[in-house]
Amino acid sequence: MVESFQPEPSKTPPSADDLKFLAFWKSFVATINEPGLKNFKSVALDTLMICDKLRSTDNFINKCFNEVIDDEVRKRITDRTKLEYTSAEIEFANLFTSSAKKEILKVGNQYRFRQMLVTRNTKNNNPPEVVFNFIETKKGYRLYGID
């Protein structure tokens, strides 16, 4: 799985890379809300890490998409006060399919990894979060997984 994870501190104002990621996030949110998830597959790798299990993107869409991305998450992913993003360079064990490995950009011997943390509710001091994990590829950011 993930061998090392050192988040980079968030920058104020956002860097050019942060702005690129935030623009991608807007388009990603649009794919989630499309009827039939028409463009969702184009922003996801063919295999996703969902709640610590590898699943094909088709399996995720057919079996548990609406459980993971429920109405509360759909509502909160557009509310900037409920979002926090991070960036890190990490090393992965062998979790990618060979087709995904060809797309992913490496930074030295590591991968650029971005996360968007979505707070589910704010009723207590430790609100649960949904974490969307993205990896940078030759085609832009792609969804890697959701925790």
Side-chain angles (χ1 to χ4, degrees), residues 10-22 80 85 114:
S10 57
K11 299 167 192 73
T12 308
S15 68
D17 190 53
D18 291 340
L19 293 173
K20 178 177 142 185
F21 177 68
L22 292 172
R80 288 185 174 241
Y85 60 93
R114 300 297 307 240

Side-chain angles (χ1 to χ4, degrees), residues 15-79:
S15 68
D17 190 53
D18 291 340
L19 293 173
K20 178 177 142 185
F21 177 68
L22 292 172
F24 163 77
W25 176 254
K26 281 179 118 174
S27 64
F28 173 75
V29 168
T31 69
I32 287 175
N33 293 317
E34 283 178 342
L37 301 172
K38 189 171 64 173
N39 290 308
F40 181 80
K41 287 183 189 180
S42 69
V43 295
L45 294 175
D46 58 2
T47 303
L48 300 172
M49 178 63 76
I50 305 295
C51 303
D52 295 326
K53 289 184 181 175
L54 278 176
R55 297 179 180 265
S56 74
T57 300
D58 288 331
N59 177 278
F60 169 63
I61 289 169
N62 295 330
K63 302 278 188 212
C64 58
F65 182 90
N66 289 322
E67 290 175 38
V68 176
I69 302 175
D70 60 15
D71 290 339
E72 185 178 359
V73 171
R74 286 175 191 262
K75 182 174 61 182
R76 292 175 179 269
I77 59 177
T78 57
D79 181 349

Side-chain angles (χ1 to χ4, degrees), residues 71-137:
D71 290 339
E72 185 178 359
V73 171
R74 286 175 191 262
K75 182 174 61 182
R76 292 175 179 269
I77 59 177
T78 57
D79 181 349
R80 288 185 174 241
T81 66
K82 308 288 188 256
L83 302 175
E84 179 182 339
Y85 60 93
T86 64
S87 174
E89 292 175 3
I90 57 175
E91 296 175 8
F92 282 93
N94 213 0
L95 291 178
F96 298 112
T97 62
S98 60
S99 62
K101 283 182 186 174
K102 293 174 190 168
E103 286 184 45
I104 297 168
L105 295 177
K106 286 186 103 176
V107 179
N109 63 351
Q110 298 183 319
Y111 299 98
R112 167 74 43 94
F113 189 69
R114 300 297 307 240
Q115 291 182 312
M116 184 64 81
L117 293 78
V118 180
T119 303
R120 288 188 63 87
N121 68 43
T122 53
K123 292 182 177 138
N124 60 42
N125 290 337
N126 295 313
E129 295 176 324
V130 176
V131 180
F132 291 87
N133 300 301
F134 301 93
I135 194 139
E136 195 166 7
T137 72

